[in-house]
């Protein structure tokens, strides 16, 4: 047991981020290569601000491109590596990446809106889901995080956000905050949102 000095509690809350439509521009043809990956303006810098504030960041992303046969696991990892490299100059760091490789018809437990990816973070890293924040651009993201018991849900208007906000509101599933983009979400987290455990 550590007694001297403050230590961030093991298993405390994290900031979960969806990838496509939140960090990078989404595409109807899927992101199949490093060349097709483009950061949404301000998103890499925003992740850097979260990291510099001491928050752990984890990605939770549906990547059916794997089981659709469009991208290999190695190819997908190259894209994640490219993403991580783009954060370095801003001090950004991704602690873990959880992705679902399945197609919708496979009915797995990890494809959002199901909560499986979040439960993996809980099991593998001891993440306190209730003390965590999810930032996503789709109804699927919000539903998955809610089903997992994530404490604060933030929808961004990039990606599918504009399309899905009315759907969520209609179902009475409005997020805790709606941001213009990831940079706006991070502004709110660092200023007003805070992790619920703090
Ligand atoms: Zn899955």
């Amino acid at each position: 047991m550590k007694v001297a000095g403050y230590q961030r509690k093991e298993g405390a809350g994290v900031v979960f981020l969806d990838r496509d439509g939140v960090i990078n521009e989404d595409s109807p043809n899927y992101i199949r290569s490093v060349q097709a990956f483009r950061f949404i303006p301000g998103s890499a810098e925003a992740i850097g601000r979260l990291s510099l504030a001491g928050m752990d960041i984890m990605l939770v992303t549906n990547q059916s491109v794997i089981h659709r046969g469009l991208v290999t696991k190695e190819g997908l990892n190259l894209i994640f590596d490219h993403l991580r490299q783009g954060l370095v100059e801003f001090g950004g760091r991704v602690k873990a990446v959880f992705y679902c490789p399945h197609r919708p018809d496979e009915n797995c437990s990890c494809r959002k809106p199901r909560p499986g990816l979040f439960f993996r973070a809980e099991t593998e890293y001891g993440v306190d889901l209730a003390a965590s924040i999810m930032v996503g651009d789709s109804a699927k993201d919000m539903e998955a995080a809610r089903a997992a018991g994530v404490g604060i849900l933030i929808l961004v208007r990039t990606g599918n956000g504009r399309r899905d906000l009315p759907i969520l509101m209609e179902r009475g599933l409005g997020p805790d905050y709606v941001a213009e983009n990831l940079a706006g979400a991070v502004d709110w987290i660092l200023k007003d949102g805070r992790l619920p455990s703090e």
Side-chain angles (χ1 to χ4, degrees), residues 22-43:
V22 174
I23 297 172
N24 56 283
E25 308 282 0
D26 205 354
S27 166
N29 298 315
Y30 308 101
I31 306 301
R32 307 185 191 198
S33 66
V34 165
Q35 289 71 32
F37 183 97
R38 287 190 180 74
F39 280 102
I40 292 171
S43 67

Side-chain angles (χ1 to χ4, degrees), residues 47-48 51-52 55-58 84 87-88 90-96:
I47 294 171
S51 291
L52 295 175
M55 293 182 180
D56 286 333
I57 295 149
M58 297 187 177
R84 289 174 191 270
L87 305 178
V88 170
F90 302 105
R93 194 175 161 270
V94 172
K95 181 165 184 172

Side-chain angles (χ1 to χ4, degrees), residues 100 102 108 110-111:
C100 162
H102 307 107
C108 67
C110 50
R111 183 176 164 84

Side-chain angles (χ1 to χ4, degrees), residues 54-94:
M55 293 182 180
D56 286 333
I57 295 149
M58 297 187 177
L59 304 192
V60 281
T61 174
N62 288 349
Q63 292 297 330
S64 64
V65 285
I66 299 296
H67 280 208
R68 290 180 202 274
L70 300 173
V71 180
T72 62
K73 282 187 182 178
E74 292 72 23
L76 183 61
N77 283 329
L78 284 177
I79 297 171
F80 286 128
D81 288 345
H82 176 75
L83 187 165
R84 289 174 191 270
Q85 279 165 19
L87 305 178
V88 170
E89 65 174 301
F90 302 105
R93 194 175 161 270
V94 172

Side-chain angles (χ1 to χ4, degrees), residues 62 99-103 106-112 117:
N62 288 349
Y99 70 85
C100 162
H102 307 107
R103 297 184 310 271
E106 293 179 274
N107 260 316
C108 67
S109 60
C110 50
R111 183 176 164 84
K112 295 175 290 183
L117 296 178

